[in-house]
Amino acid sequence: LECSVPRLKSCMLSSVPVLSWLPRYSLRDNAIGDLISGISVGIMHLPQGMAYALLAAVPPVFGLYSSFYPILIYFIFGSSKHISVGTYAVMSVMIGGVTERLAPDSNFMMYVNATNQSMVDVLARDTERVKVAAAVTFLSGLFQMLLGLVQFGFVVTYLSEPLVRGYTTGAAIHVIVSQLKYTFGISPKRHSGPFALIFTVIEVCYLVPETNIGTLVVSLVSIIGLIMVKELNTYLGKKLPVPIPVELLGIIIATVISWQVNLEGKYGVEVVGEIPSGLQPPVMPTASLFGQVIGDAFALSVVGYGIAISLGRIFALKYGYKVDSNQELIALGLSNSIGGVFQCFAISCSMSRTMVQESTGGKTQVASALSAMVILVIMLWIGALFEELPKAVLAAIIYVNLHGMMKQFMDIPTLWKSNKVDMLVWVATLILTVLFNPDIGLAASIAFSMLTVIFRTQLPKYSLLGQVPETDIYRPVEDYNQVNEIPGVVIFRSSATLYFANAEMYQDALAEKSGIDITKLISQKKKAEAKRLRKEKKEARKAKKDAKKNAQEWVRRRSDTEERDHSSLFLRMLINHNYECLITSLTHSLSIHSSLLSLSLSLSLSVACVIENLESGGFFSEKVSKACLFSSIHDAVLHCQTDRATINKDDEHCAETML
């Protein structure tokens, strides 16, 4: 193996993108925008990290860890300049499904003698759930890195936009349902498997009479306040240099009120609880859990990558640079696998944070690195101040942040007008995700999307083409009024690729549109060919019989013909042989001429690989050669017209000769 210095340098720069762009970083052009953007996004990370930790069913401080370590890793290895990676609602709820399934409350019940009641050992439960979250996150990162190393970035092409939007909408519904317990202050049982969401909703409705009024009031006030300030942000968007940090203000105000009023002691409002200061030491994930979470890890890797690369490409197109899909897989994989070692849960890209990062002037990933520094300061010195924060406020933040996903329901009427199959994919993905949970729902949705691809090839649009007068342009006759069909030439087009699954439909459509029955023509050709073969065999048998008879006659008359000249005998045999060859030659000529009149074939092909496939598949023969192929429809039409004129001229010449 050889590797030159320039090639090694190029490999290093592509594998570690920060080495290529950071040395050329312009302080004058980018520093101020990245600084403002980094602080703004860092402030958003605080409430969102804590809130999404509730979705992952782990203590809030682990949401802060997930907003720090992975961001620094992506800063080094990521290729997008604008996206904000970190905690994400859909990913968090998928993690929560795994942690609650493998570490349910029922596994940590303990009996308290003082009260004669059973209660959950919260400390032991949370410790186990953190281990589960770290294991599935680490494994999902390994999957992403593996896919990136084998150049499998094209997998995102199978996640169409309707599928992604329908999936995120369905996952958002799971998120909302999972937070109802914090809104009403109730404790429903954890359901898993298909239809778990429906069972949870039914149980929540059953437990509504047990609602904690204090928790409900905190929830409603928080939701109304957040919505009002966000609407104010929208109204004053062009006048404000940076958006009002509504979420940060919300948790600060709620924490102060909770501390002063003692919401937990007087009204039973559940609060965040202890938030340890400092950073956690690295711990290798529990390998024994890998077998139980391998399916969930793969689903997380695909969903997280699909969301991040989709958003990254949007901003790359907007600002004129390229996002490497395979490098993004490696960057996200490293972020998750290293994050798993530091007890983080799986991350992806957040639309809301990315929009803030871009709108506040962020131009490079330096903004994300600065936001991580904000989180570091909070974890080291400020985090403990939020121990009295009600969990209902975090649930309210989640609800309000999901309003963008809920607006995606408006995709349905839009897709109905533009593409009904895409609308079907959107609706089916939503239903499958809601019914079968995000992990199984994703697999079922991709399978359904693949079926629609087959469905589209089975129902293509067939049309006959006509020529726009005095041009080489051909358009469907049924769609355009000013196109003319070519006399004696049928131009048939299909909107789908022709292959074994739709070949018969193609044949039926051709017969319906043009009146050309391929089956009938092939049948006639086979009958003519069989008739020709029978005639040849009959003539061969007759010739053999005649030859045998002639031989017997020759033997019988041998004595009488000995005096004849041998050259005369040879001449007669030669004439007889030539006569038989002439009859056979005429038979072949008549057959070929009939076949030519029955079916004239011309193909308009311009793709080299298609021609190569036809050649390797043995399509071409003496009768159907490459001379039948043309680079454009117009060339094929001109050839057909020339052949038709030649045939007509030959027919006229034959008629004159006969007369």
Side-chain angles (χ1 to χ4, degrees), residues 148-184:
L149 290 174
V150 299
Q151 305 290 295
F152 210 66
F154 68 89
V155 71
V156 74
T157 59
Y158 294 100
L159 301 176
S160 64
E161 184 178 0
L163 187 148
V164 172
R165 292 175 70 86
Y167 179 79
T168 52
T169 305
I173 295 174
H174 279 278
V175 171
I176 291 172
V177 172
S178 70
Q179 295 305 291
L180 293 177
K181 60 182 179 181
Y182 297 114
T183 300
F184 294 99

mmCIF file of all heavy atoms in Angstrom, residues 148-184:
data_model
loop_
_atom_site.group_PDB
_atom_site.id
_atom_site.type_symbol
_atom_site.label_atom_id
_atom_site.label_comp_id
_atom_site.label_asym_id
_atom_site.label_seq_id
_atom_site.Cartn_x
_atom_site.Cartn_y
_atom_site.Cartn_z
ATOM 1 N N GLY A 148 -20.988 5.107 7.601
ATOM 2 C CA GLY A 148 -20.184 6.153 6.974
ATOM 3 C C GLY A 148 -18.911 5.612 6.367
ATOM 4 O O GLY A 148 -18.508 6.023 5.269
ATOM 5 N N LEU A 149 -18.253 4.665 7.033
ATOM 6 C CA LEU A 149 -16.999 4.106 6.527
ATOM 7 C C LEU A 149 -17.210 3.288 5.262
ATOM 8 O O LEU A 149 -16.319 3.218 4.410
ATOM 9 C CB LEU A 149 -16.343 3.238 7.609
ATOM 10 C CG LEU A 149 -15.785 4.009 8.820
ATOM 11 C CD1 LEU A 149 -15.306 3.038 9.888
ATOM 12 C CD2 LEU A 149 -14.658 4.945 8.401
ATOM 13 N N VAL A 150 -18.366 2.653 5.124
ATOM 14 C CA VAL A 150 -18.646 1.874 3.905
ATOM 15 C C VAL A 150 -19.368 2.709 2.859
ATOM 16 O O VAL A 150 -19.927 2.178 1.906
ATOM 17 C CB VAL A 150 -19.464 0.605 4.234
ATOM 18 C CG1 VAL A 150 -18.696 -0.297 5.163
ATOM 19 C CG2 VAL A 150 -20.828 0.952 4.824
ATOM 20 N N GLN A 151 -19.334 4.036 3.030
ATOM 21 C CA GLN A 151 -19.902 4.969 2.056
ATOM 22 C C GLN A 151 -21.392 4.701 1.821
ATOM 23 O O GLN A 151 -21.860 4.619 0.681
ATOM 24 C CB GLN A 151 -19.143 4.878 0.719
ATOM 25 C CG GLN A 151 -17.650 5.095 0.847
ATOM 26 C CD GLN A 151 -17.307 6.536 1.195
ATOM 27 O OE1 GLN A 151 -17.549 7.460 0.429
ATOM 28 N NE2 GLN A 151 -16.748 6.728 2.376
ATOM 29 N N PHE A 152 -22.122 4.560 2.930
ATOM 30 C CA PHE A 152 -23.542 4.222 2.834
ATOM 31 C C PHE A 152 -24.425 5.451 3.044
ATOM 32 O O PHE A 152 -25.569 5.334 3.440
ATOM 33 C CB PHE A 152 -23.882 3.150 3.876
ATOM 34 C CG PHE A 152 -25.008 2.243 3.469
ATOM 35 C CD1 PHE A 152 -24.870 1.378 2.405
ATOM 36 C CD2 PHE A 152 -26.213 2.254 4.158
ATOM 37 C CE1 PHE A 152 -25.898 0.540 2.038
ATOM 38 C CE2 PHE A 152 -27.253 1.418 3.798
ATOM 39 C CZ PHE A 152 -27.096 0.560 2.732
ATOM 40 N N GLY A 153 -23.878 6.627 2.758
ATOM 41 C CA GLY A 153 -24.648 7.844 2.976
ATOM 42 C C GLY A 153 -25.870 7.977 2.099
ATOM 43 O O GLY A 153 -26.806 8.708 2.419
ATOM 44 N N PHE A 154 -25.878 7.247 0.956
ATOM 45 C CA PHE A 154 -27.018 7.356 0.056
ATOM 46 C C PHE A 154 -28.297 6.786 0.661
ATOM 47 O O PHE A 154 -29.378 6.944 0.091
ATOM 48 C CB PHE A 154 -26.728 6.629 -1.259
ATOM 49 C CG PHE A 154 -26.638 5.141 -1.124
ATOM 50 C CD1 PHE A 154 -27.775 4.351 -1.250
ATOM 51 C CD2 PHE A 154 -25.429 4.521 -0.863
ATOM 52 C CE1 PHE A 154 -27.707 2.976 -1.119
ATOM 53 C CE2 PHE A 154 -25.349 3.146 -0.730
ATOM 54 C CZ PHE A 154 -26.490 2.368 -0.862
ATOM 55 N N VAL A 155 -28.194 6.098 1.825
ATOM 56 C CA VAL A 155 -29.391 5.526 2.447
ATOM 57 C C VAL A 155 -30.451 6.581 2.715
ATOM 58 O O VAL A 155 -31.652 6.289 2.768
ATOM 59 C CB VAL A 155 -29.011 4.800 3.755
ATOM 60 C CG1 VAL A 155 -28.615 5.780 4.836
ATOM 61 C CG2 VAL A 155 -30.148 3.909 4.235
ATOM 62 N N VAL A 156 -30.014 7.839 2.853
ATOM 63 C CA VAL A 156 -30.965 8.905 3.142
ATOM 64 C C VAL A 156 -31.922 9.136 1.977
ATOM 65 O O VAL A 156 -33.006 9.691 2.151
ATOM 66 C CB VAL A 156 -30.219 10.215 3.490
ATOM 67 C CG1 VAL A 156 -29.612 10.857 2.247
ATOM 68 C CG2 VAL A 156 -31.137 11.211 4.179
ATOM 69 N N THR A 157 -31.536 8.688 0.762
ATOM 70 C CA THR A 157 -32.434 8.878 -0.378
ATOM 71 C C THR A 157 -33.722 8.080 -0.230
ATOM 72 O O THR A 157 -34.721 8.391 -0.873
ATOM 73 C CB THR A 157 -31.740 8.465 -1.685
ATOM 74 O OG1 THR A 157 -31.344 7.081 -1.595
ATOM 75 C CG2 THR A 157 -30.503 9.315 -1.935
ATOM 76 N N TYR A 158 -33.690 7.051 0.618
ATOM 77 C CA TYR A 158 -34.896 6.260 0.836
ATOM 78 C C TYR A 158 -35.823 6.899 1.868
ATOM 79 O O TYR A 158 -36.920 6.396 2.100
ATOM 80 C CB TYR A 158 -34.526 4.847 1.279
ATOM 81 C CG TYR A 158 -33.812 4.066 0.202
ATOM 82 C CD1 TYR A 158 -32.432 3.931 0.215
ATOM 83 C CD2 TYR A 158 -34.510 3.491 -0.851
ATOM 84 C CE1 TYR A 158 -31.769 3.225 -0.783
ATOM 85 C CE2 TYR A 158 -33.864 2.790 -1.847
ATOM 86 C CZ TYR A 158 -32.494 2.664 -1.805
ATOM 87 O OH TYR A 158 -31.854 1.977 -2.785
ATOM 88 N N LEU A 159 -35.359 7.969 2.502
ATOM 89 C CA LEU A 159 -36.201 8.702 3.438
ATOM 90 C C LEU A 159 -36.719 9.944 2.728
ATOM 91 O O LEU A 159 -36.138 11.020 2.802
ATOM 92 C CB LEU A 159 -35.400 9.082 4.691
ATOM 93 C CG LEU A 159 -34.787 7.932 5.489
ATOM 94 C CD1 LEU A 159 -33.954 8.462 6.637
ATOM 95 C CD2 LEU A 159 -35.864 7.001 6.008
ATOM 96 N N SER A 160 -37.813 9.789 2.010
ATOM 97 C CA SER A 160 -38.367 10.911 1.256
ATOM 98 C C SER A 160 -38.901 11.971 2.220
ATOM 99 O O SER A 160 -39.147 11.706 3.407
ATOM 100 C CB SER A 160 -39.492 10.423 0.338
ATOM 101 O OG SER A 160 -40.573 9.907 1.103
ATOM 102 N N GLU A 161 -39.091 13.174 1.708
ATOM 103 C CA GLU A 161 -39.571 14.257 2.563
ATOM 104 C C GLU A 161 -40.942 13.961 3.164
ATOM 105 O O GLU A 161 -41.144 14.197 4.363
ATOM 106 C CB GLU A 161 -39.600 15.572 1.773
ATOM 107 C CG GLU A 161 -39.990 16.759 2.629
ATOM 108 C CD GLU A 161 -39.974 18.073 1.872
ATOM 109 O OE1 GLU A 161 -39.664 18.047 0.673
ATOM 110 O OE2 GLU A 161 -40.277 19.114 2.477
ATOM 111 N N PRO A 162 -41.922 13.448 2.379
ATOM 112 C CA PRO A 162 -43.206 13.095 3.011
ATOM 113 C C PRO A 162 -43.049 12.065 4.123
ATOM 114 O O PRO A 162 -43.734 12.155 5.147
ATOM 115 C CB PRO A 162 -44.031 12.536 1.842
ATOM 116 C CG PRO A 162 -43.437 13.152 0.631
ATOM 117 C CD PRO A 162 -41.975 13.269 0.918
ATOM 118 N N LEU A 163 -42.131 11.112 3.945
ATOM 119 C CA LEU A 163 -41.928 10.099 4.982
ATOM 120 C C LEU A 163 -41.344 10.731 6.250
ATOM 121 O O LEU A 163 -41.811 10.459 7.358
ATOM 122 C CB LEU A 163 -41.006 8.999 4.456
ATOM 123 C CG LEU A 163 -40.816 7.762 5.350
ATOM 124 C CD1 LEU A 163 -40.597 6.515 4.505
ATOM 125 C CD2 LEU A 163 -39.638 7.920 6.302
ATOM 126 N N VAL A 164 -40.324 11.582 6.080
ATOM 127 C CA VAL A 164 -39.683 12.209 7.239
ATOM 128 C C VAL A 164 -40.665 13.102 7.989
ATOM 129 O O VAL A 164 -40.755 13.071 9.219
ATOM 130 C CB VAL A 164 -38.444 13.013 6.802
ATOM 131 C CG1 VAL A 164 -37.895 13.824 7.971
ATOM 132 C CG2 VAL A 164 -37.370 12.073 6.270
ATOM 133 N N ARG A 165 -41.443 13.892 7.244
ATOM 134 C CA ARG A 165 -42.377 14.820 7.894
ATOM 135 C C ARG A 165 -43.534 14.069 8.558
ATOM 136 O O ARG A 165 -43.986 14.418 9.647
ATOM 137 C CB ARG A 165 -42.889 15.838 6.876
ATOM 138 C CG ARG A 165 -41.792 16.795 6.408
ATOM 139 C CD ARG A 165 -42.295 17.724 5.310
ATOM 140 N NE ARG A 165 -43.252 18.691 5.806
ATOM 141 C CZ ARG A 165 -42.940 19.860 6.344
ATOM 142 N NH1 ARG A 165 -41.669 20.197 6.500
ATOM 143 N NH2 ARG A 165 -43.873 20.699 6.741
ATOM 144 N N GLY A 166 -44.020 13.018 7.907
ATOM 145 C CA GLY A 166 -45.058 12.207 8.534
ATOM 146 C C GLY A 166 -44.549 11.494 9.769
ATOM 147 O O GLY A 166 -45.252 11.389 10.781
ATOM 148 N N TYR A 167 -43.295 11.028 9.698
ATOM 149 C CA TYR A 167 -42.708 10.338 10.840
ATOM 150 C C TYR A 167 -42.499 11.283 12.021
ATOM 151 O O TYR A 167 -42.819 10.938 13.168
ATOM 152 C CB TYR A 167 -41.375 9.706 10.437
ATOM 153 C CG TYR A 167 -40.684 8.997 11.574
ATOM 154 C CD1 TYR A 167 -41.088 7.730 11.972
ATOM 155 C CD2 TYR A 167 -39.644 9.601 12.259
ATOM 156 C CE1 TYR A 167 -40.470 7.081 13.031
ATOM 157 C CE2 TYR A 167 -39.015 8.963 13.312
ATOM 158 C CZ TYR A 167 -39.434 7.697 13.698
ATOM 159 O OH TYR A 167 -38.832 7.070 14.746
ATOM 160 N N THR A 168 -41.944 12.463 11.773
ATOM 161 C CA THR A 168 -41.712 13.407 12.872
ATOM 162 C C THR A 168 -43.030 13.876 13.484
ATOM 163 O O THR A 168 -43.105 14.125 14.693
ATOM 164 C CB THR A 168 -40.901 14.613 12.387
ATOM 165 O OG1 THR A 168 -41.522 15.192 11.221
ATOM 166 C CG2 THR A 168 -39.484 14.203 12.020
ATOM 167 N N THR A 169 -44.076 13.975 12.662
ATOM 168 C CA THR A 169 -45.383 14.342 13.207
ATOM 169 C C THR A 169 -45.919 13.238 14.117
ATOM 170 O O THR A 169 -46.429 13.499 15.213
ATOM 171 C CB THR A 169 -46.387 14.625 12.075
ATOM 172 O OG1 THR A 169 -45.852 15.618 11.204
ATOM 173 C CG2 THR A 169 -47.713 15.119 12.642
ATOM 174 N N GLY A 170 -45.791 11.987 13.672
ATOM 175 C CA GLY A 170 -46.227 10.871 14.512
ATOM 176 C C GLY A 170 -45.421 10.772 15.787
ATOM 177 O O GLY A 170 -45.970 10.517 16.870
ATOM 178 N N ALA A 171 -44.101 10.990 15.681
ATOM 179 C CA ALA A 171 -43.258 10.960 16.879
ATOM 180 C C ALA A 171 -43.610 12.098 17.827
ATOM 181 O O ALA A 171 -43.549 11.932 19.057
ATOM 182 C CB ALA A 171 -41.784 11.045 16.473
ATOM 183 N N ALA A 172 -43.991 13.260 17.273
ATOM 184 C CA ALA A 172 -44.389 14.387 18.116
ATOM 185 C C ALA A 172 -45.634 14.048 18.938
ATOM 186 O O ALA A 172 -45.768 14.480 20.088
ATOM 187 C CB ALA A 172 -44.645 15.618 17.248
ATOM 188 N N ILE A 173 -46.537 13.272 18.350
ATOM 189 C CA ILE A 173 -47.724 12.853 19.096
ATOM 190 C C ILE A 173 -47.317 11.948 20.261
ATOM 191 O O ILE A 173 -47.861 12.055 21.374
ATOM 192 C CB ILE A 173 -48.717 12.132 18.154
ATOM 193 C CG1 ILE A 173 -49.234 13.121 17.102
ATOM 194 C CG2 ILE A 173 -49.870 11.523 18.939
ATOM 195 C CD1 ILE A 173 -50.109 12.496 16.044
ATOM 196 N N HIS A 174 -46.358 11.069 20.038
ATOM 197 C CA HIS A 174 -45.831 10.246 21.131
ATOM 198 C C HIS A 174 -45.231 11.125 22.222
ATOM 199 O O HIS A 174 -45.393 10.858 23.419
ATOM 200 C CB HIS A 174 -44.760 9.281 20.601
ATOM 201 C CG HIS A 174 -45.307 8.053 19.959
ATOM 202 N ND1 HIS A 174 -45.711 6.947 20.675
ATOM 203 C CD2 HIS A 174 -45.532 7.755 18.659
ATOM 204 C CE1 HIS A 174 -46.147 6.018 19.847
ATOM 205 N NE2 HIS A 174 -46.045 6.479 18.606
ATOM 206 N N VAL A 175 -44.507 12.171 21.809
ATOM 207 C CA VAL A 175 -43.886 13.081 22.774
ATOM 208 C C VAL A 175 -44.948 13.748 23.634
ATOM 209 O O VAL A 175 -44.832 13.827 24.867
ATOM 210 C CB VAL A 175 -43.038 14.143 22.044
ATOM 211 C CG1 VAL A 175 -42.561 15.217 23.015
ATOM 212 C CG2 VAL A 175 -41.842 13.492 21.357
ATOM 213 N N ILE A 176 -45.998 14.245 22.997
ATOM 214 C CA ILE A 176 -47.064 14.948 23.720
ATOM 215 C C ILE A 176 -47.723 14.020 24.739
ATOM 216 O O ILE A 176 -47.933 14.388 25.900
ATOM 217 C CB ILE A 176 -48.094 15.504 22.728
ATOM 218 C CG1 ILE A 176 -47.468 16.648 21.909
ATOM 219 C CG2 ILE A 176 -49.345 15.998 23.456
ATOM 220 C CD1 ILE A 176 -48.331 17.129 20.777
ATOM 221 N N VAL A 177 -48.036 12.793 24.287
ATOM 222 C CA VAL A 177 -48.697 11.845 25.190
ATOM 223 C C VAL A 177 -47.789 11.497 26.365
ATOM 224 O O VAL A 177 -48.249 11.361 27.511
ATOM 225 C CB VAL A 177 -49.116 10.584 24.414
ATOM 226 C CG1 VAL A 177 -49.616 9.502 25.368
ATOM 227 C CG2 VAL A 177 -50.194 10.924 23.391
ATOM 228 N N SER A 178 -46.479 11.380 26.098
ATOM 229 C CA SER A 178 -45.554 11.017 27.175
ATOM 230 C C SER A 178 -45.440 12.102 28.239
ATOM 231 O O SER A 178 -45.034 11.820 29.376
ATOM 232 C CB SER A 178 -44.169 10.728 26.592
ATOM 233 O OG SER A 178 -43.552 11.917 26.126
ATOM 234 N N GLN A 179 -45.793 13.349 27.904
ATOM 235 C CA GLN A 179 -45.669 14.455 28.855
ATOM 236 C C GLN A 179 -46.965 14.772 29.598
ATOM 237 O O GLN A 179 -46.991 15.658 30.460
ATOM 238 C CB GLN A 179 -45.192 15.709 28.125
ATOM 239 C CG GLN A 179 -43.794 15.585 27.552
ATOM 240 C CD GLN A 179 -42.773 15.205 28.595
ATOM 241 O OE1 GLN A 179 -42.450 15.982 29.485
ATOM 242 N NE2 GLN A 179 -42.257 13.979 28.508
ATOM 243 N N LEU A 180 -48.043 14.070 29.252
ATOM 244 C CA LEU A 180 -49.319 14.338 29.921
ATOM 245 C C LEU A 180 -49.244 14.061 31.425
ATOM 246 O O LEU A 180 -49.911 14.730 32.224
ATOM 247 C CB LEU A 180 -50.428 13.492 29.287
ATOM 248 C CG LEU A 180 -50.796 13.853 27.842
ATOM 249 C CD1 LEU A 180 -51.854 12.881 27.309
ATOM 250 C CD2 LEU A 180 -51.302 15.284 27.745
ATOM 251 N N LYS A 181 -48.421 13.102 31.825
ATOM 252 C CA LYS A 181 -48.321 12.790 33.258
ATOM 253 C C LYS A 181 -47.730 13.958 34.041
ATOM 254 O O LYS A 181 -48.077 14.176 35.208
ATOM 255 C CB LYS A 181 -47.494 11.528 33.467
ATOM 256 C CG LYS A 181 -46.066 11.598 32.961
ATOM 257 C CD LYS A 181 -45.359 10.267 33.170
ATOM 258 C CE LYS A 181 -43.923 10.301 32.645
ATOM 259 N NZ LYS A 181 -43.247 8.993 32.831
ATOM 260 N N TYR A 182 -46.825 14.731 33.417
ATOM 261 C CA TYR A 182 -46.252 15.895 34.092
ATOM 262 C C TYR A 182 -47.211 17.081 34.076
ATOM 263 O O TYR A 182 -47.158 17.936 34.949
ATOM 264 C CB TYR A 182 -44.942 16.295 33.425
ATOM 265 C CG TYR A 182 -43.873 15.235 33.522
ATOM 266 C CD1 TYR A 182 -43.399 14.593 32.388
ATOM 267 C CD2 TYR A 182 -43.347 14.864 34.749
ATOM 268 C CE1 TYR A 182 -42.422 13.613 32.469
ATOM 269 C CE2 TYR A 182 -42.366 13.881 34.845
ATOM 270 C CZ TYR A 182 -41.912 13.257 33.699
ATOM 271 O OH TYR A 182 -40.948 12.288 33.786
ATOM 272 N N THR A 183 -48.092 17.111 33.078
ATOM 273 C CA THR A 183 -49.065 18.199 32.998
ATOM 274 C C THR A 183 -50.172 18.036 34.033
ATOM 275 O O THR A 183 -50.602 19.015 34.663
ATOM 276 C CB THR A 183 -49.677 18.260 31.584
ATOM 277 O OG1 THR A 183 -48.626 18.486 30.641
ATOM 278 C CG2 THR A 183 -50.710 19.371 31.475
ATOM 279 N N PHE A 184 -50.642 16.801 34.226
ATOM 280 C CA PHE A 184 -51.745 16.557 35.153
ATOM 281 C C PHE A 184 -51.275 16.078 36.529
ATOM 282 O O PHE A 184 -52.093 15.954 37.444
ATOM 283 C CB PHE A 184 -52.713 15.526 34.567
ATOM 284 C CG PHE A 184 -53.433 16.003 33.338
ATOM 285 C CD1 PHE A 184 -52.998 15.628 32.080
ATOM 286 C CD2 PHE A 184 -54.520 16.846 33.437
ATOM 287 C CE1 PHE A 184 -53.653 16.066 30.942
ATOM 288 C CE2 PHE A 184 -55.183 17.294 32.304
ATOM 289 C CZ PHE A 184 -54.749 16.912 31.050
#
